[in-house]
Coordinates of all heavy atoms in Angstrom, one line a residue:
T430 N 43.3 128.1 65.5 CA 42.5 129.2 65.0 C 41.4 128.6 64.1 O 41.6 127.8 63.3 CB 43.3 130.2 64.3 OG1 44.4 130.7 65.1 CG2 42.5 131.4 63.8
Y431 N 40.2 129.2 64.2 CA 39.1 128.8 63.3 C 39.1 129.8 62.1 O 39.3 131.0 62.2 CB 37.8 129.0 64.0 CG 37.5 127.8 64.9 CD1 38.0 127.8 66.2 CD2 36.7 126.7 64.5 CE1 37.7 126.8 67.1 CE2 36.4 125.7 65.4 CZ 36.9 125.7 66.7 OH 36.7 124.7 67.6
R432 N 39.0 129.2 60.9 CA 39.0 130.0 59.7 C 37.8 129.6 58.8 O 37.3 128.5 58.9 CB 40.3 129.7 58.9 CG 41.6 130.1 59.6 CD 42.8 129.7 58.7 NE 44.0 130.2 59.3 CZ 44.7 129.7 60.3 NH1 44.3 128.6 60.8 NH2 45.8 130.2 60.7
P433 N 37.3 130.6 58.0 CA 36.2 130.3 57.1 C 36.5 129.5 55.9 O 37.4 129.9 55.1 CB 35.7 131.7 56.8 CG 36.9 132.6 56.8 CD 37.8 132.0 57.9
F434 N 35.8 128.5 55.7 CA 36.0 127.7 54.4 C 34.6 127.4 53.7 O 34.6 126.9 52.6 CB 36.6 126.3 54.7 CG 38.1 126.5 55.2 CD1 38.4 126.4 56.5 CD2 39.1 126.6 54.2 CE1 39.7 126.6 56.9 CE2 40.4 126.7 54.7 CZ 40.7 126.7 56.0
L435 N 33.5 127.7 54.4 CA 32.2 127.4 53.9 C 31.3 128.6 54.1 O 31.0 129.0 55.2 CB 31.6 126.2 54.6 CG 30.2 125.6 54.2 CD1 30.2 125.2 52.7 CD2 29.8 124.4 55.1
V436 N 30.8 129.2 52.9 CA 30.1 130.4 53.0 C 28.8 130.2 52.2 O 28.8 129.7 51.1 CB 30.9 131.6 52.4 CG1 30.1 132.8 52.2 CG2 32.1 131.8 53.3
R437 N 27.7 130.7 52.7 CA 26.4 130.8 52.0 C 26.5 132.1 51.1 O 26.8 133.2 51.6 CB 25.2 130.9 53.0 CG 23.8 130.8 52.3 CD 22.7 131.5 53.2 NE 22.7 131.0 54.5 CZ 22.0 129.9 54.9 NH1 21.3 129.2 54.1 NH2 22.0 129.5 56.2
Y438 N 26.2 131.9 49.8 CA 26.2 133.0 48.9 C 24.8 133.6 48.9 O 23.8 132.9 48.6 CB 26.7 132.7 47.5 CG 26.6 133.9 46.6 CD1 27.5 135.0 46.8 CD2 25.6 134.0 45.6 CE1 27.4 136.1 46.0 CE2 25.6 135.1 44.8 CZ 26.4 136.1 45.0 OH 26.4 137.3 44.2
R439 N 24.7 134.9 49.0 CA 23.4 135.6 48.9 C 23.5 136.6 47.8 O 24.4 137.4 47.7 CB 23.1 136.4 50.3 CG 22.9 135.4 51.4 CD 22.2 136.2 52.6 NE 22.1 135.4 53.7 CZ 21.1 134.5 53.9 NH1 20.2 134.2 53.0 NH2 21.0 133.8 55.1
S440 N 22.5 136.6 46.9 CA 22.4 137.5 45.8 C 22.5 139.0 46.3 O 21.8 139.3 47.3 CB 21.1 137.3 45.0 OG 21.0 138.2 43.9
G441 N 23.3 139.8 45.7 CA 23.5 141.1 46.1 C 24.6 141.4 47.0 O 25.0 142.6 47.3
F442 N 25.3 140.4 47.5 CA 26.5 140.5 48.3 C 27.6 141.2 47.5 O 27.9 140.8 46.4 CB 27.0 139.2 48.8 CG 28.2 139.3 49.7 CD1 28.2 139.6 51.0 CD2 29.5 139.0 49.1 CE1 29.3 139.7 51.8 CE2 30.6 139.1 49.9 CZ 30.5 139.4 51.2
V443 N 28.1 142.3 48.0 CA 29.2 143.1 47.3 C 30.5 142.7 48.0 O 30.7 143.0 49.2 CB 28.9 144.6 47.4 CG1 30.0 145.3 46.7 CG2 27.6 144.9 46.7
A444 N 31.4 142.1 47.2 CA 32.7 141.6 47.8 C 33.6 142.8 48.0 O 33.8 143.6 47.2 CB 33.3 140.6 46.8
D445 N 34.3 142.7 49.2 CA 35.3 143.7 49.6 C 36.6 142.9 49.9 O 36.5 142.1 50.9 CB 34.8 144.6 50.7 CG 35.8 145.7 51.0 OD1 36.7 146.0 50.2 OD2 35.7 146.3 52.1
W446 N 37.7 143.2 49.3 CA 38.9 142.3 49.4 C 40.0 143.1 50.1 O 40.1 144.3 50.1 CB 39.3 141.9 48.1 CG 38.4 141.0 47.3 CD1 37.4 141.3 46.5 CD2 38.5 139.5 47.4 NE1 36.7 140.2 46.1 CE2 37.4 139.1 46.6 CE3 39.3 138.6 48.0 CZ2 37.1 137.7 46.4 CZ3 39.0 137.3 47.8 CH2 37.9 136.8 47.0
N447 N 40.8 142.2 50.8 CA 42.1 142.7 51.2 C 43.0 142.8 50.0 O 43.3 141.8 49.4 CB 42.8 141.7 52.3 CG 42.1 141.8 53.6 OD1 41.9 142.9 54.1 ND2 41.8 140.6 54.1
E448 N 43.5 144.0 49.7 CA 44.3 144.2 48.4 C 45.7 143.8 48.7 O 46.6 144.7 48.6 CB 44.1 145.6 47.9 CG 42.6 145.9 47.6 CD 42.2 145.2 46.3 OE1 43.1 144.8 45.5 OE2 40.9 145.1 46.1
F449 N 46.0 142.5 49.0 CA 47.4 142.1 49.2 C 47.8 141.2 48.1 O 47.0 140.3 47.7 CB 47.5 141.3 50.6 CG 47.1 142.1 51.8 CD1 46.5 141.5 52.8 CD2 47.2 143.5 51.8 CE1 46.1 142.2 54.0 CE2 46.8 144.2 52.9 CZ 46.3 143.6 54.0
T450 N 49.1 141.3 47.6 CA 49.5 140.4 46.6 C 49.8 139.0 47.1 O 49.7 138.0 46.3 CB 50.9 141.0 46.0 OG1 51.8 141.1 47.0 CG2 50.6 142.3 45.4
Q451 N 49.9 138.8 48.4 CA 50.1 137.5 49.0 C 49.2 137.5 50.3 O 49.1 138.5 51.0 CB 51.6 137.2 49.3 CG 52.4 137.0 48.1 CD 52.0 135.8 47.3 OE1 52.1 134.6 47.8 NE2 51.6 136.0 46.1
H452 N 48.7 136.3 50.6 CA 48.0 136.1 51.9 C 46.7 137.1 52.0 O 46.5 137.7 53.0 CB 48.8 136.3 53.1 CG 50.1 135.3 53.1 ND1 50.0 134.0 53.1 CD2 51.4 135.6 53.1 CE1 51.1 133.4 53.1 NE2 52.1 134.5 53.0
C453 N 46.0 137.2 50.9 CA 44.9 138.2 50.9 C 43.6 137.5 51.5 O 42.6 138.2 51.7 CB 44.6 138.6 49.5 SG 44.1 137.3 48.3
G454 N 43.6 136.2 51.6 CA 42.4 135.5 52.0 C 41.7 134.9 50.9 O 41.7 135.4 49.8
R455 N 41.0 133.8 51.1 CA 40.3 133.0 50.1 C 39.0 133.7 49.7 O 38.5 133.6 48.6 CB 40.0 131.6 50.4 CG 41.3 130.9 50.9 CD 40.9 129.4 51.2 NE 42.1 128.8 51.8 CZ 42.2 127.5 51.8 NH1 41.4 126.7 51.3 NH2 43.3 127.0 52.4
F456 N 38.4 134.3 50.8 CA 37.1 135.0 50.6 C 37.2 136.5 50.7 O 38.2 136.9 51.3 CB 36.1 134.4 51.7 CG 35.7 133.0 51.4 CD1 36.0 132.0 52.3 CD2 34.8 132.7 50.4 CE1 35.5 130.7 52.2 CE2 34.3 131.4 50.3 CZ 34.7 130.4 51.1
P457 N 36.2 137.2 50.2 CA 36.2 138.6 50.5 C 36.3 138.9 52.0 O 35.7 138.1 52.8 CB 34.9 139.1 49.9 CG 34.5 138.1 48.9 CD 35.1 136.8 49.4
K458 N 36.9 140.0 52.4 CA 37.1 140.2 53.9 C 35.8 140.5 54.6 O 35.6 140.3 55.8 CB 38.1 141.3 54.1 CG 37.6 142.6 53.6 CD 38.7 143.8 53.9 CE 38.3 145.1 53.4 NZ 39.4 146.2 53.6
N459 N 34.7 141.0 53.8 CA 33.5 141.4 54.5 C 32.6 140.2 54.8 O 31.5 140.4 55.3 CB 32.8 142.5 53.8 CG 32.5 142.2 52.3 OD1 33.3 141.5 51.6 ND2 31.5 142.7 51.8
I460 N 33.0 139.0 54.5 CA 32.2 137.8 55.0 C 32.3 137.8 56.5 O 31.5 137.1 57.2 CB 32.7 136.4 54.4 CG1 34.1 136.1 54.9 CG2 32.6 136.4 52.9 CD1 34.4 134.6 54.8
M461 N 33.3 138.5 57.1 CA 33.4 138.5 58.6 C 32.2 139.2 59.2 O 32.0 139.0 60.4 CB 34.7 139.2 58.9 CG 36.0 138.7 58.3 SD 36.5 137.1 59.0 CE 37.1 137.6 60.6

C-alpha cells in the first residue's frame, strides 16, 4: 500500500483529523 509521508503545505489549509485515540494518521485526513 502507498501512504503519504511528504506533503506540500499551503497557507490557509484547514486541517481535518480522524478523531481516533490510536491509528489516527500522521497527517490531517483531508490531505487525501
Side-chain angles (χ1 to χ4, degrees):
T430 303
Y431 284 83
R432 296 176 172 85
F434 293 97
L435 182 59
V436 170
R437 188 200 309 271
Y438 178 71
R439 296 194 184 280
S440 178
F442 177 83
V443 179
D445 184 18
W446 291 87
N447 286 313
E448 298 290 338
F449 302 150
T450 57
Q451 294 293 298
H452 306 298
C453 63
R455 306 183 191 202
F456 287 113
K458 65 181 181 181
N459 52 328
I460 67 159
M461 305 289 288

